[in-house]
Amino acid sequence: MFDLLTNILIWIIAIPIFVILFRAIPKDWFRLFGLVIFTALVAIIFANFRFVEEPIPKIVIEFLSFPFTLVGILLLLLFFNYVLRLKDLKIKSGEKVDNKGAEGKIKIVTKEILIVLILFAIATNNATSELFNCYLEQQAANAVEQSYRRPVLNLSERELQDFRQGVFDIIVVLAENPPYEPRLQEAIKLWNAANQQQKPYILLSGGRRTTYPPTKGYPCFTPAEAPPNRTKENVRDAIASRAGIPNIGLRYDPRYEGFFTNPASPSESIPQIDLTEADQMCEALINMPNIAGIRPFVIIEPVGMSVRSSGDEIGKLIKSLEKNKLLREDTRNSRRLLLITSPIEATRSFLSFRNQDLNASLTTASYPLDIHSDLGGQCPWPIGKQFKLKPRYFLFNAEALVKSERAWTEVKELVFYTLRFWLRPPLSDERPYFPKQPAMLAPRKYIAMQVLLTK
């Protein structure tokens, strides 16, 4: 109910802003720009469907969404100024000629071009682009902290002990916004550090197809059969081990559900499937050095193409695993997930998973050059604790534009997720109560009591 009221309040505030902007925008802009906006909104509605990832629809979607990028906004502003305002500009000569109309247009164009140059300078400046990313990283740090808050009175002694020791049931690695190698390395580090009797499963979620035309093959890029040395039974064992065969296959892949639910099923027919990013991550994971026996702990989720769709598919996947007795049944939603994602999208991921009732903690991983290990000491003021002028803050380059574009893209995603009622901003200290319990077992006076549990 609180989520609904929060989003309604956001719409109440947003509608007057939209009305004011509608009245302020010149009407001649809507002849072309209005069509682009309408088409882009329709494209956004269908953006979660798999056909969007096909070559032609993907190009169309990228083209339609271009006006909403930083570069697209700047180019559109220049286009509207030169084409729509100056194309009919007429300047007359003579002593008694009135050119006030032309002068007024030139003044407006000059001001708007100045705005474009200022926006371009902000987007390409090292200091401002770094500040944008530092802000998102700061929010990610807050999200990580909030993800470890739990109502201690709703936890059993065993759950409380596991929580304090950092014991997880499933480590979730998302493929959105590659590269995902740092996330896999973090997952391996946590998996190696876990107790031998409490090794977590590693769930790899990524539904985008690898190449076009789609690459056909077996999960995790398992080598195909090559008689007489490699048979279909060998391929089957690498996917899902047969009855009586040592467990050398994957933990689960919904594309071959029958092999996992019935280990005695025949191996004659093993159809090849379209490989996705989840398979790429799986191949990279099992080929990492100093990894032994990790394959039976790998779960592949080959459908989710965004943070939200991955959360939906993970929820379905867990229920399917419980139904097929491949995971212990958990009616209290106390199964602990550890979500590993990049710092830029961490806040959106945490809020979206929380909205989907997934009991997920959060950690971030990225290449060392892409993140700040010390936000207070490395980031510009006001994210940084001290106001320092560094020589590179006065420089402009393409790398800064890429960072600004990345931050702007994440801000758009946060807005879209909010308007779709997929998350509740802002990030606050209040948390859903995991594991869930009936109201009679959690009196109101106790619900307010929370503790921050650390690793």
Side-chain angles (χ1 to χ4, degrees):
M1 186 63 182
F2 185 80
D3 292 349
L4 177 62
L5 295 176
T6 302
N7 282 276
I8 291 175
L9 178 62
I10 292 173
W11 276 106
I12 292 174
I13 298 173
I15 289 175
I17 295 176
F18 291 156
V19 173
I20 294 172
L21 291 176
F22 177 80
R23 293 177 177 176
I25 295 175
K27 297 300 181 288
D28 53 358
W29 286 27
F30 287 96
R31 284 181 293 183
L32 294 175
F33 195 58
L35 178 61
V36 174
I37 292 177
F38 175 78
T39 308
L41 289 176
V42 173
I44 290 170
I45 293 174
F46 293 99
N48 287 330
F49 289 92
R50 178 167 287 277
F51 81 90
V52 177
E53 290 300 312
E54 298 295 335
I56 294 178
K58 186 174 183 180
I59 294 174
V60 173
I61 295 298
E62 290 178 352
F63 173 78
L64 293 176
S65 61
F66 176 74
F68 296 94
T69 63
L70 285 179
V71 176
I73 291 172
L74 295 176
L75 291 179
L76 280 177
L77 289 174
L78 291 175
F79 170 80
F80 285 125
N81 274 294
Y82 281 104
V83 176
L84 299 182
R85 293 191 187 278
L86 299 181
K87 70 174 183 177
D88 296 326
L89 184 65
K90 296 180 180 179
I91 299 177
K92 301 178 181 179
S93 61
E95 295 181 357
K96 297 182 179 181
V97 175
D98 185 7
N99 286 318
K100 289 184 179 179
E103 291 178 0
K105 283 187 176 182
I106 292 176
K107 288 182 179 179
I108 293 175
V109 170
T110 303
K111 290 180 180 178
E112 293 185 352
I113 290 178
L114 179 60
I115 293 174
V116 172
L117 293 176
I118 291 175
L119 291 175
F120 183 72
I122 292 174
T124 56
N125 179 255
N126 284 330
T128 52
S129 65
E130 189 172 354
L131 186 62
F132 297 151
N133 283 269
C134 282
Y135 175 76
L136 292 176
E137 289 179 28
Q138 179 64 62
Q139 296 305 308
N142 295 339
V144 171
E145 178 183 343
Q146 297 306 318
S147 71
Y148 283 91
R149 291 185 182 272
R150 295 293 190 280
V152 65
L153 295 180
N154 281 5
L155 298 176
S156 67
E157 288 296 330
R158 176 59 182 273
E159 292 167 348
L160 182 59
Q161 181 181 1
D162 289 347
F163 206 103
R164 286 174 172 163
Q165 294 177 352
V167 176
F168 299 96
D169 298 302
I170 301 176
I171 296 176
V172 178
V173 182
L174 301 182
E176 189 179 22
N177 293 334
Y180 40 73
E181 285 79 8
R183 308 171 204 176
L184 296 176
Q185 293 170 358
E186 181 70 15
I188 289 298
K189 183 179 71 173
L190 294 172
W191 188 83
N192 283 330
N195 188 287
Q196 191 66 33
Q197 285 74 34
Q198 295 178 311
K199 290 288 187 183
Y201 297 115
I202 299 181
L203 193 155
L204 307 174
S205 177
R208 290 185 177 88
R209 294 173 182 173
T210 54
T211 58
Y212 296 97
T215 301
K216 291 283 188 178
Y218 297 118
C220 204
F221 284 85
T222 300
E225 62 274 12
N229 296 326
R230 184 171 177 81
T231 64
K232 281 189 175 293
E233 284 73 17
N234 299 133
V235 177
R236 160 70 184 276
D237 293 337
I239 299 173
S241 299
R242 292 167 293 166
I245 302 297
N247 190 11
I248 58 175
L250 301 170
R251 180 61 181 179
Y252 187 69
D253 186 336
R255 296 168 294 188
Y256 295 90
E257 183 176 7
F259 290 158
F260 294 92
T261 56
N262 183 16
S265 60
S267 307
E268 286 78 12
S269 176
I270 308 179
Q272 294 190 352
I273 40 90
D274 292 338
L275 301 179
T276 67
E277 286 179 317
D279 297 295
Q280 285 184 324
M281 290 196 295
C282 179
E283 181 189 33
L285 182 71
I286 63 176
N287 288 328
M288 286 185 175
N290 301 323
I291 295 298
I294 196 173
R295 192 179 180 98
F297 291 87
V298 175
I299 300 173
I300 293 182
E301 189 287 291
V303 178
M305 293 185 292
S306 65
V307 169
R308 184 68 184 188
S309 61
S310 289
D312 290 335
E313 296 301 327
I314 289 170
K316 296 176 184 177
L317 193 61
I318 291 176
K319 291 181 180 178
S320 178
L321 288 167
E322 291 178 344
K323 179 181 178 181
N324 294 322
K325 309 299 182 183
L326 298 173
L327 276 181
R328 63 174 177 82
E329 189 175 0
D330 183 8
T331 58
R332 299 176 65 238
N333 194 27
S334 62
R335 178 175 289 103
R336 296 193 56 216
L337 311 181
L338 178 64
L339 175 62
I340 303 179
T341 184
S342 67
I344 297 298
E345 65 186 14
T347 300
R348 175 165 56 97
S349 302
F350 166 66
L351 291 174
S352 181
F353 272 53
R354 184 176 72 174
N355 178 265
Q356 292 166 293
D357 284 337
L358 293 172
N359 182 13
S361 298
L362 177 69
T363 189
T364 60
S366 184
Y367 286 118
L369 297 178
D370 294 337
I371 61 174
H372 300 84
S373 57
D374 180 13
L375 294 175
Q378 297 176 336
C379 289
W381 185 86
I383 301 297
K385 296 180 180 179
Q386 297 181 356
F387 182 80
K388 295 180 180 180
L389 290 177
K390 300 179 181 179
R392 61 187 180 87
Y393 287 169
F394 297 95
L395 300 178
F396 305 84
N397 56 44
E399 183 181 355
L401 179 61
V402 172
K403 290 182 178 180
S404 297
E405 189 72 72
R406 182 174 59 179
W408 170 245
T409 300
E410 183 59 27
V411 169
K412 289 188 298 182
E413 291 293 335
L414 285 168
V415 172
F416 293 153
Y417 274 51
T418 301
L419 295 180
R420 290 170 176 174
F421 291 61
W422 287 351
L423 52 83
R424 182 190 67 204
L427 189 63
S428 66
D429 285 342
E430 296 190 17
R431 288 280 293 116
Y433 294 94
F434 295 111
K436 292 185 175 180
Q437 292 199 8
M440 65 180 66
L441 299 181
R444 186 178 300 274
K445 65 179 180 179
Y446 291 135
I447 287 182
M449 300 177 63
Q450 296 187 20
V451 296
L452 175 60
L453 303 175
T454 60
K455 292 181 180 179

